[in-house]
Amino acid sequence: MDQHRHLMAALATLYAEMDQAYEEAARKNGFTCHGCEENCCRTLFYHHTLTEYLFLQEGLGQLSAETRRRLAGRAIEVRDRMQQTEAAGRPVSEMCPLNEDERCILYAHRPMICRLHGVPHRLERPGGQSQVGPGCREFDRQCGLQPKALLDRTPLYTAMAQLERRVRALWDYRNKIKMTLAEMIATILSDDDGGPLAAMRNEIHRP
């Protein structure tokens, strides 16, 4: 699985570029992300890439067996509560299963949106349309509503899309993905999840 490992290494490099871009934008705006009442680990994020799913799987595999068991149970509980809350039409606010004692236990493997959320950004969409997104409430409290600098997500999203195409081609995977972190963790760590993602997991970890 040399090609798979090469692609995961490429994602790690891209994540480092995202972290650097975020830190630069935060520094230019004078923004410091401490803990706040509106913890972004409670924000409902959906993740759409097979690449990030497989990288998260790699990180989970580095945890102890006991930690994985504990995390699997917590992820299933959070996933079920989120689904029930959504079905009832209520706002979802559940702590991410990876958050323990206010720290992410898989910080190096956290997905793209976890790295970029909070700082105002711009994005050039195909066709030349430009989109500007706001920062989080804590950013507005610290820096006001007129940011000094925007984080340009365009090259980062473009690189992610290119990498995603390569990963999907390697695994011949064509299904759409729309999963919360709780759903991803529950699928990866559960023994009875079934489906193509489970089959892929078994292939990657085959002796």
Side-chain angles (χ1 to χ4, degrees):
M1 300 306 298
D2 288 344
Q3 190 173 355
H4 173 77
R5 285 193 291 269
H6 174 75
L7 292 171
M8 294 299 99
L11 179 58
T13 298
L14 177 56
Y15 276 162
E17 294 173 2
M18 292 180 184
D19 292 344
Q20 182 177 359
Y22 177 92
E23 290 169 5
E24 182 177 352
R27 178 182 56 79
K28 288 180 177 179
N29 284 286
F31 175 61
T32 303
C33 182
H34 297 301
C36 62
E37 291 184 5
E38 188 180 326
N39 192 320
C40 59
C41 294
R42 290 186 175 275
T43 304
L44 176 61
F45 291 133
Y46 285 106
H47 310 276
H48 302 273
T49 66
L50 177 63
T51 309
E52 294 190 285
Y53 178 94
L54 294 175
F55 195 72
L56 178 68
Q57 175 178 284
E58 178 181 289
L60 290 169
Q62 297 173 8
L63 300 174
S64 69
E66 174 56 34
T67 300
R68 290 197 301 272
R69 283 193 293 270
R70 183 176 71 251
L71 186 55
R74 187 160 65 235
I76 291 170
E77 290 176 0
V78 171
R79 177 201 64 190
D80 292 349
R81 286 200 302 269
M82 293 175 74
Q83 291 174 351
Q84 293 166 6
T85 302
E86 276 197 298
R90 301 193 302 270
V92 177
S93 179
E94 290 282 347
M95 180 59 74
C96 174
L98 293 175
N99 188 299
E100 290 190 356
D101 299 324
E102 300 185 359
R103 296 182 65 87
C104 178
I105 63 173
L106 275 185
Y107 191 74
H109 289 79
R110 71 198 190 282
M112 172 174 63
I113 192 59
C114 300
R115 297 168 188 270
L116 301 180
H117 176 72
V119 171
H121 64 274
R122 63 183 297 272
L123 178 65
E124 291 293 332
R125 293 193 172 277
Q129 294 180 325
S130 182
Q131 174 183 316
V132 174
C136 63
R137 291 185 183 179
E138 181 63 17
F139 181 94
D140 293 343
R141 188 187 70 79
Q142 292 185 30
C143 307
L145 299 178
Q146 299 296 324
K148 298 176 182 177
L150 297 176
L151 191 163
D152 187 359
R153 292 186 179 181
T154 309
L156 304 173
Y157 278 22
T158 299
M160 178 63 81
Q162 293 171 346
L163 185 56
E164 176 73 357
R165 284 194 290 270
R166 295 171 62 191
V167 171
R168 284 175 173 264
L170 174 64
W171 291 106
D172 191 25
Y173 188 83
R174 303 177 185 179
N175 295 342
K176 292 183 178 181
I177 294 176
K178 181 183 178 183
M179 304 176 78
T180 64
L181 263 173
E183 290 171 330
M184 293 166 75
I185 294 165
T187 300
I188 292 168
L189 296 182
S190 173
D191 291 331
D192 59 352
D193 52 79
L197 285 171
M200 189 181 307
R201 175 193 63 198
N202 297 334
E203 178 68 21
I204 291 172
H205 294 288
R206 178 180 296 175

